[in-house]
Amino acid sequence: MRILSGILVVYLISTLLFGQLIYVARGRFHYHKRRGLSDPPPPPPAVTANPPQVPSDPYPNPNPDPAPGDSDSGCIFDVTSFGAVGDGSCDDTAAFKDAWKAACAVESSVLLAPEGGVFKITSTIFSGPCKPGLVFQLDGVLMPPDGPEEWPEKDSKSQWLVFYRLDGFTFAGKGTVEGNGQKWWDLPCKPHRGPDGSSSSEPCVSPTMIRFFMSNNIEVGGLRIQNSPQFHMKFDGCEGVSINDIQISSPKLSPNTDGIHLGNTRSVAIHNSVVSNGDDCISIGTGCSDIDIQGVTCGPSHGISIGSLGVHNSQACVSNITVRNTVIRDSDNGLRVKTWQGGTGSVSNLLFENIQMENVLNCIIVDQYYCQSKECRNETSAVRVFDVQYRNIKGTYDVRSAPIHFACSDTVACTNITMSEVELLPEEGELVDDPFCWNAYGTQETLTIPPIDCLLDGSPVVEEGYNSNPGC
């Protein structure tokens, strides 16, 4: 009996131990099987002793310490972190130069002039080359010293902000470039349009507010640019320029305050912008080609001008200019080509289309007798103007002058002018003068209002061997 009891105890203990081993084995199997949607997540993997290395910066900073103004991303350089005060009184030039130097060395960086700041800087050249993708973001106000008396003697009085030798650069933001132009406009040498119209003959240098020089692939957008001492924005020797959604403004009688001036610049788009000023809304000088202007509102201004060209018997070449879907209002000129007597070269392939005129003096004008004094004389050579189209030009004109004026050179006629759907009516009153033509040849695809009976058919007789546009 004792033997049977002992065997039973051994059996029970063995059964319990065997069952526990099966439970543990099943538990291990359940942990390693494929996890279902309802299964708890596995524990995170252990950190390896040698994690993968982050690729090195292709443009490493030789200074291991973070630069002032450098954000966590290493791309934003806030001028206030470089010492800019932004109170409209302190000179922040040094801070902008330091911020530019730092941003210029980093790819896709942003030099930031933040909202709420009024930053005063003296004449400065922001020079490249810089790493690709540099952005100058102006969200505050940027302005020069207030007038010629405050202008430092050592600084150039012909320019203020200069962007030089840049490629792939953007100047944009929601801020304002304020030119403080009033004291420059009031100089005795300026051509005032007051009651006596007098001006002194002393030198009269005034700064262009923004100048891009020898730069490519430039974008300007979103900014308000106002009250420049002279030209608001110039592009010299540039290629690949995009200007979009900007506002340029200065008083109607502010002298020589062209909005946008292009010289020796190619492949330009000026879109969706508003310009009101005291001179040309947009002026296009020699050496320009492939210019596209769309969605622009001009006025008050002197309109959109090609020229003046050929001054001092120089050569001028301008081609492939398109102006579309544009409004010109309350302006001294509308669409103008102006050349001096004695020049050479050509202006060709111009298209003006879908233009609305509102109370404009000289809506359509080609003037090959442009002169700023009474001493100009007729010359035997002139810049040739040909292949010019005016399509769907409608609106009203100021009756003090004929709405259409083609004054072409005696010796070099304007040729291949096309007029289609041109309808211009007096803003008020009646037409004083009929459209004027001199040595201008072209066709009317539709009836023009007012009628332009003076446009000659066919082509002029040209002496054999004559070349009026050498080099273009």
Side-chain angles (χ1 to χ4, degrees), residues 138 142 160-161 171 175-179 209-210 224-226:
L138 175 62
L142 187 61
W160 176 46
L161 298 182
F171 185 31
T176 298
V177 185
E178 169 58 56
M209 191 149 66
I210 302 168
R224 182 176 179 85
I225 303 168
Q226 61 190 31

Side-chain angles (χ1 to χ4, degrees), residues 148 157-158 181-194 196-208 228-231 253-258 279:
K157 287 187 177 181
S158 63
Q182 185 65 55
K183 293 179 180 179
W184 295 95
W185 307 330
D186 290 342
L187 289 173
C189 54
K190 292 292 183 178
H192 287 288
R193 301 177 188 176
D196 59 358
S198 62
S199 63
S200 70
S201 58
E202 64 187 75
C204 198
V205 178
S206 298
T208 291
S228 176
Q230 196 155 297
F231 288 20
L253 297 183
S254 56
N256 306 120
T257 53
D258 291 46
D279 212 300

Side-chain angles (χ1 to χ4, degrees), residues 308 311 336 338-341 367-377:
S308 61
V311 65
R336 177 165 63 159
K338 51 182 179 178
T339 72
W340 295 76
Q341 286 281 293
D367 180 8
Q368 294 211 273
Y369 299 88
Y370 182 74
C371 180
Q372 293 182 327
S373 71
K374 296 181 180 179
E375 300 176 358
C376 299
R377 57 191 178 91

Side-chain angles (χ1 to χ4, degrees), residues 270 281-282 293-298 304 323-328 335 353-357:
I270 303 174
C281 166
I282 299 171
I293 300 169
Q294 292 199 49
V296 172
T297 298
C298 289
I304 296 175
V323 182
R324 280 196 180 105
N325 307 323
T326 288
V327 177
I328 302 176
L335 306 169
E353 185 174 39
N354 302 334
I355 311 296
Q356 181 69 29
M357 302 283 184

Side-chain angles (χ1 to χ4, degrees), residues 202-443:
E202 64 187 75
C204 198
V205 178
S206 298
T208 291
M209 191 149 66
I210 302 168
R211 184 188 184 203
F212 290 88
F213 182 46
M214 294 182 64
S215 296
N216 300 326
N217 304 312
I218 303 299
E219 295 184 17
V220 181
L223 298 169
R224 182 176 179 85
I225 303 168
Q226 61 190 31
N227 299 322
S228 176
Q230 196 155 297
F231 288 20
H232 285 78
M233 191 157 48
K234 289 180 68 175
F235 294 84
D236 296 316
C238 298
E239 183 170 2
V241 175
S242 174
I243 302 169
N244 188 56
D245 190 28
I246 67 168
Q247 297 182 52
I248 294 177
S249 64
S250 60
K252 183 177 182 179
L253 297 183
S254 56
N256 306 120
T257 53
D258 291 46
I260 300 169
H261 177 76
L262 308 175
N264 295 300
T265 293
R266 300 179 296 171
S267 301
V268 178
I270 303 174
H271 294 168
N272 309 317
S273 297
V274 178
V275 181
S276 60
N277 58 326
D279 212 300
D280 293 337
C281 166
I282 299 171
S283 56
I284 300 171
T286 188
C288 291
S289 62
D290 302 316
I291 312 298
D292 183 65
I293 300 169
Q294 292 199 49
V296 172
T297 298
C298 289
S301 71
H302 290 187
I304 296 175
S305 291
I306 297 173
S308 61
L309 305 173
V311 65
H312 303 311
N313 303 105
S314 62
Q315 182 189 65
C317 302
V318 175
S319 63
N320 301 331
I321 311 296
T322 298
V323 182
R324 280 196 180 105
N325 307 323
T326 288
V327 177
I328 302 176
R329 58 167 60 105
D330 300 321
S331 296
D332 287 355
N333 298 286
L335 306 169
R336 177 165 63 159
V337 178
K338 51 182 179 178
T339 72
W340 295 76
Q341 286 281 293
T344 59
S346 67
V347 178
S348 63
N349 296 323
L350 313 182
L351 171 61
F352 303 104
E353 185 174 39
N354 302 334
I355 311 296
Q356 181 69 29
M357 302 283 184
E358 298 178 8
N359 191 31
V360 175
L361 193 69
N362 303 315
C363 294
I364 295 173
I365 178 170
V366 174
D367 180 8
Q368 294 211 273
Y369 299 88
Y370 182 74
C371 180
Q372 293 182 327
S373 71
K374 296 181 180 179
E375 300 176 358
C376 299
R377 57 191 178 91
N378 280 357
E379 302 277 356
T380 55
S381 64
V383 177
R384 184 184 173 207
V385 178
F386 65 99
D387 292 347
V388 185
Q389 300 181 61
Y390 300 94
R391 298 185 177 276
N392 196 29
I393 315 295
K394 298 180 179 180
T396 62
Y397 62 90
D398 187 323
V399 298
R400 290 176 296 169
S401 181
I404 302 172
H405 188 94
F406 294 129
C408 301
S409 167
D410 290 341
T411 54
V412 184
C414 303
T415 59
N416 202 20
I417 296 172
T418 301
M419 308 289 286
S420 178
E421 297 186 82
V422 176
E423 299 177 7
L424 299 168
L425 302 173
E427 172 71 15
E428 57 183 23
E430 297 181 359
L431 174 66
V432 176
D433 294 316
D434 292 328
F436 174 84
C437 307
W438 180 259
N439 209 18
Y441 290 77
T443 59

